[in-house]
Amino acid sequence: MRSLSTLGFLIGSLAVSGGYCTADIETRSLDQIHEAAKAEGGVVNLWAGGDEKDQQNGLKEAFETRFPGMTLNVTVDLSKYHDGRIDEQLAANNLYVDATFLQSLHDFPRWKSENALLNYQPLEFKNIFDQFKDSEGAYYGVFIFSWSNIWNTGKVDAASAPKEYTDYLKPVFKDKLALTYPNDDDAVAFQFDLIIKQYGWQWFDDLIAQNPRWVRGTATPATLISSSNGSYAATFTSGIGLTSSGSLNVSFPTQGQFVSWPQTGAIFADAPHPEGAKLLTNFVLSDEYQKASGWSVRRDLPGPSGYPTIFDMPGTNVTAFRDFMLDRAAVERLRFRFEDKIGTAQGLSPLVDDL
């Protein structure tokens, strides 16, 4: 009996630890998956991390245009709220989310250990950078997010444009910075952590003396500085892409480090619409979507125009944020230190707050 029990434990351990692969490996074309998804009901429910309700409208439009008869229901909210609500659904055996794309990278290994994720290898799985994916396909990067220096060219002249994080301490930016609370967003906390490790906590104290407007949500600073009426002119806690947009211009530091990471996706094992979720995942990882989304999570695609691949981009370590997120005790200590200096994050969730 003891030998049989031990054998059963070892077999179970191999299955959980990846001793053998139990992944569903995709071999169908997008059109074939499309037909299966339509037969299933033609619906996909995606929960995506973000802080503006319309943040994934472009994906919804592109997906529904490419695949007639499909409906992509997207709910955007902060990743740190989505994960808790997903946990509630899983605990109640009442899952109605099919797939999720989140910033909270530490959640995915946990969900895999709880057998909550579908081991699924989409068509381009082999081309996803190994550092961005689970070996069995339980989760993988779907696109790259990053922060950058952003300023309004109508409010900041070329000579004063921020290039390094010390530039934000210049008198020209007094009362003109819009910054996301670092104690409200882990990716922003990591950005501040990198800067403080380079310049020390005195830099943060000097930044506070600039009287920035602290806001919730990483889209909020860019919205504020883009306004032609307001006084806010610059930020380094938003991402608007790799090129200028309207009155906003972007740059990346050469002496400092900027945060980048693979926004990570997964399909749930008990997804109500698994074929629809597979179609969405394969579309997001396809050439047509990856080439239009800035830096790619795939190693077989070149960097966007004017840039190398994300792994060759100076000034960032695209895997460092994952390690930061996994050390939750360190993240919490840092969060409370920021809170001690600037107070708790004020305002409603950015998805319902009025600017």
Side-chain angles (χ1 to χ4, degrees), residues 201-230:
W201 280 96
Q202 185 60 50
W203 172 89
F204 189 68
D205 291 337
D206 292 341
L207 182 73
I208 294 173
Q210 291 286 69
N211 192 34
R213 178 174 172 182
W214 297 103
V215 299
R216 298 194 65 196
T218 57
T220 307
T223 300
L224 288 170
I225 68 175
S226 66
S227 171
S228 58
N229 298 324

Side-chain angles (χ1 to χ4, degrees), residues 108-144:
F108 294 95
R110 175 176 63 84
W111 281 329
K112 180 182 179 179
S113 72
E114 296 168 353
N115 297 316
L117 304 181
L118 179 68
N119 288 340
Y120 174 70
Q121 297 182 7
L123 290 168
E124 297 296 341
F125 184 77
K126 65 181 182 301
N127 290 322
I128 301 172
F129 286 108
D130 291 341
Q131 298 91 328
F132 296 166
K133 64 188 178 185
D134 170 67
S135 61
E136 291 184 309
Y139 52 87
Y140 23 76
V142 289
F143 35 78
I144 301 295

Side-chain angles (χ1 to χ4, degrees), residues 58-339:
L59 172 59
K60 176 179 172 64
E61 181 180 356
F63 179 77
E64 293 179 352
T65 299
R66 174 65 176 80
F67 303 107
M70 294 298 301
T71 299
L72 175 58
N73 298 317
V74 187
T75 302
V76 176
D77 206 339
L78 304 183
S79 294
K80 65 181 183 179
Y81 297 154
H82 269 330
D83 60 4
R85 293 166 187 157
I86 289 170
D87 284 339
E88 290 177 358
Q89 291 181 40
L90 292 171
N93 293 315
N94 185 32
L95 186 73
Y96 54 87
V97 179
D98 296 307
T100 191
F101 300 162
L102 297 179
Q103 168 185 302
S104 50
L105 306 188
H106 60 292
D107 285 316
F108 294 95
R110 175 176 63 84
W111 281 329
K112 180 182 179 179
S113 72
E114 296 168 353
N115 297 316
L117 304 181
L118 179 68
N119 288 340
Y120 174 70
Q121 297 182 7
L123 290 168
E124 297 296 341
F125 184 77
K126 65 181 182 301
N127 290 322
I128 301 172
F129 286 108
D130 291 341
Q131 298 91 328
F132 296 166
K133 64 188 178 185
D134 170 67
S135 61
E136 291 184 309
Y139 52 87
Y140 23 76
V142 289
F143 35 78
I144 301 295
F145 276 177
S146 65
W147 307 143
S148 63
N149 299 310
I150 308 173
W151 68 95
N152 189 318
T153 56
K155 302 175 184 179
V156 180
D157 60 37
S160 301
K163 297 179 177 60
E164 304 297 336
Y165 300 115
T166 50
D167 292 336
Y168 293 96
L169 305 182
K170 293 178 179 178
V172 68
F173 290 116
K174 177 78 172 182
D175 301 320
K176 294 184 178 180
L177 300 177
L179 301 172
T180 306
Y181 283 103
N183 45 318
D184 195 42
D185 186 291
D186 286 347
V188 174
F190 186 45
Q191 181 65 81
F192 277 89
D193 188 46
L194 292 174
I195 299 170
I196 290 166
K197 283 178 178 174
Q198 182 176 11
Y199 296 113
W201 280 96
Q202 185 60 50
W203 172 89
F204 189 68
D205 291 337
D206 292 341
L207 182 73
I208 294 173
Q210 291 286 69
N211 192 34
R213 178 174 172 182
W214 297 103
V215 299
R216 298 194 65 196
T218 57
T220 307
T223 300
L224 288 170
I225 68 175
S226 66
S227 171
S228 58
N229 298 324
S231 62
Y232 300 105
T235 189
F236 55 88
T237 63
S238 284
I240 61 169
L242 305 181
T243 58
S244 59
S245 175
S247 62
L248 300 185
N249 207 348
V250 301
S251 73
F252 295 94
T254 57
Q255 298 175 15
Q257 292 281 310
F258 69 93
V259 172
S260 63
W261 73 95
Q263 192 83 340
T264 296
I267 298 171
F268 291 100
D270 294 329
H273 311 99
E275 295 297 342
K278 290 175 183 179
L279 182 62
L280 174 64
T281 298
N282 280 278
F283 174 66
V284 168
L285 292 170
S286 68
D287 284 17
E288 59 186 294
Y289 194 83
Q290 287 289 306
K291 288 180 179 178
S293 302
W295 279 304
S296 177
V297 298
R298 286 171 44 187
R299 59 176 153 232
D300 62 322
L301 295 179
S305 179
Y307 291 92
T309 67
I310 189 61
F311 275 97
D312 294 325
M313 179 67 186
T316 193
N317 179 347
V318 71
T319 64
F321 180 56
R322 175 196 59 204
D323 297 334
F324 174 82
M325 290 291 280
L326 288 170
D327 190 347
R328 301 313 298 167
V331 172
E332 289 303 302
R333 288 194 299 271
L334 185 63
R335 186 198 312 276
F336 289 132
R337 191 160 185 185
F338 288 132
E339 187 174 297

